[in-house]
């Protein structure tokens, strides 16, 4: 029979062992405990009920914040995850927005996805310089893409409407017009929540660890067997996809798209969001 002190010590040790996260997967998990799962469920319920709790203008701001968070998350996967700098994030948002402006109404859902896909393809192209250059030189290359996109937005009038831009009617879902932020909120959640959970899950996988290995030291990552070409191109494509989807949602919120929405200053703002937000 153990002494009472020994029994108490064993009980405390077992409880402490369950509380301490011992693996990388456990450390990255956000709902690994009953309390964490309960908090996550309450938060998701709060998001669903948010349109019933806020007046129109705060709801508009909340929708704008959710779209901005989605776009910033995409840049975080590139800059914070893979360590690749980008000053052309707003350009990818513009690609998604202009694509969505051509597929509106009942096709709004398809337009948002297609905008993300086209942005991802352009992200692959923009990621090619990252195979040879990095740091400030890569920043200059992405800056050139931002200026090129801004020129196209202003001058390809047949597609973008030029300086005047384009307007689009509200998105529709099963015949219901999503013409207010309260209604559009659920379309934003439909895209934002899965992409958030995917991004969080990605950083817990082997691909996420490869991102971080490239971020810390790409030479060491190559020696360790990481495919630098695949990782860097995947990071740029994924980041651009998030930005394209966010741009499409922004077009549905504004119901208009103009080049003034996606200048260089917006790219800098999103980079600041990622840096300041950690």
């Amino acid at each position: 029979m153990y002494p009472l002190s020994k029994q108490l010590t064993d009980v405390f040790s077992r409880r402490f062992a369950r509380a301490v996260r011992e693996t990388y997967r456990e450390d990255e998990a956000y709902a690994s405990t009953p309390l964490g799962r309960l908090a996550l469920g309450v938060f998701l319920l709060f998001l669903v009920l948010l349109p019933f709790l806020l007046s129109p203008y705060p709801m508009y701001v909340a929708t704008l914040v959710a779209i901005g968070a989605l776009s910033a998350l995409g840049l975080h996967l590139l800059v914070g995850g893979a360590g690749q700098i980008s000053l052309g994030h707003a350009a990818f948002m513009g690609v998604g927005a202009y694509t969505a402006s051509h597929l509106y109404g009942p096709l709004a859902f398809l337009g948002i996805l297609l905008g993300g896909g086209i942005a991802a393809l352009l992200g692959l192209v923009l990621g090619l310089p990252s195979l040879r250059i990095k740091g400030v030189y890569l920043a200059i290359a992405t800056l050139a893409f931002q200026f090129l996109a801004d020129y196209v937005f202003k001058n390809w009038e047949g597609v973008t409407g030029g300086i005047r831009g384009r307007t689009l009617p509200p998105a529709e879902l099963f015949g219901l017009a999503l013409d207010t932020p309260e209604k559009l909120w659920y379309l934003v959640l439909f895209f934002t929540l899965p992409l958030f959970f995917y991004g969080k899950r990605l950083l817990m996988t082997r691909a996420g660890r490869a991102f971080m290995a490239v971020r810390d030291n790409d030479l060491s990552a190559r020696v360790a067997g990481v495919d630098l070409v695949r990782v860097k191109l995947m990071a740029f494509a994924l980041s651009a996809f998030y930005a394209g989807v966010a741009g499409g949602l922004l077009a549905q919120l504004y119901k208009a798209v103009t080049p003034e929405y996606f200048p260089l200053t917006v790219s800098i703002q999103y980079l600041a969001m990622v840096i300041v937000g950690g």
Side-chain angles (χ1 to χ4, degrees):
M1 190 69 180
Y2 287 114
L4 180 59
S5 59
K6 177 63 174 176
Q7 296 180 30
L8 293 176
T9 301
D10 291 343
V11 171
F12 176 79
S13 299
R14 288 194 296 269
R15 289 184 177 273
F16 183 74
R18 287 197 296 267
V20 172
R21 298 183 178 184
E22 299 177 344
T23 65
Y24 182 80
R25 182 183 298 273
E26 292 176 351
D27 186 55
E28 286 294 316
Y30 45 82
S32 58
T33 65
L35 182 59
R37 288 187 287 271
L38 176 62
L40 179 61
V42 171
F43 180 68
L44 292 178
L45 180 62
F46 170 76
L47 292 180
V48 171
L49 297 177
L50 193 61
F52 302 97
L53 304 176
L54 297 180
S55 56
Y57 180 72
M59 194 65 236
Y60 172 85
V61 174
T63 306
L64 194 61
V65 168
I67 296 172
L70 176 62
S71 185
L73 176 59
L75 189 60
H76 163 69
L77 294 176
L78 177 66
V79 179
Q84 307 301 303
I85 192 69
S86 175
L87 290 175
H89 202 63
F92 293 120
M93 294 183 65
V95 170
Y98 279 109
T99 303
S101 71
H102 288 273
L103 294 171
Y104 46 79
L107 299 178
F109 180 87
L110 179 61
I112 294 171
L113 283 179
L114 184 60
I118 294 176
L121 291 177
L122 292 176
L124 286 175
V125 176
L126 184 61
L128 292 176
S130 70
L131 305 178
R132 294 290 183 180
I133 58 179
K134 56 184 178 180
V136 65
Y137 301 104
L138 181 58
I140 293 174
T142 59
L143 181 63
F145 174 75
Q146 173 66 48
F147 285 128
L148 176 61
D150 187 62
Y151 177 83
V152 171
F153 293 160
K154 292 179 179 178
N155 293 277
W156 196 4
E157 296 189 3
V159 174
T160 65
I163 297 296
R164 296 186 304 273
R166 291 178 56 85
T167 59
L168 62 159
E172 294 182 17
L173 184 63
F174 304 118
L176 176 65
L178 307 181
D179 53 357
T180 64
E182 292 85 355
K183 297 176 182 178
L184 188 63
W185 172 253
Y186 294 104
L187 181 64
V188 173
L189 283 188
F190 182 85
F191 285 99
T192 302
L193 289 180
L195 288 175
F196 168 80
F197 287 119
Y198 174 80
K200 180 66 174 177
R201 176 64 180 171
L202 176 68
L203 296 179
M204 299 165 55
T205 63
R206 182 175 181 177
R209 292 192 291 273
F211 275 27
M212 296 177 186
V214 172
R215 176 195 65 193
D216 293 339
N217 192 307
D218 54 359
L219 180 59
S220 298
R222 175 182 294 175
V223 173
V226 175
D227 187 344
L228 296 185
V229 174
R230 182 180 63 84
V231 170
K232 289 185 177 182
L233 293 184
M234 178 182 175
F236 270 97
L238 190 61
S239 174
F241 178 79
Y242 274 68
V245 171
L249 292 171
L250 198 64
Q252 299 299 333
L253 179 64
Y254 289 160
K255 299 181 182 60
V257 186
T258 70
E260 296 176 354
Y261 293 161
F262 310 105
L264 173 62
T265 53
V266 172
S267 292
I268 296 175
Q269 286 173 2
Y270 275 102
L271 187 61
M273 291 179 195
V274 173
I275 296 173
V276 176

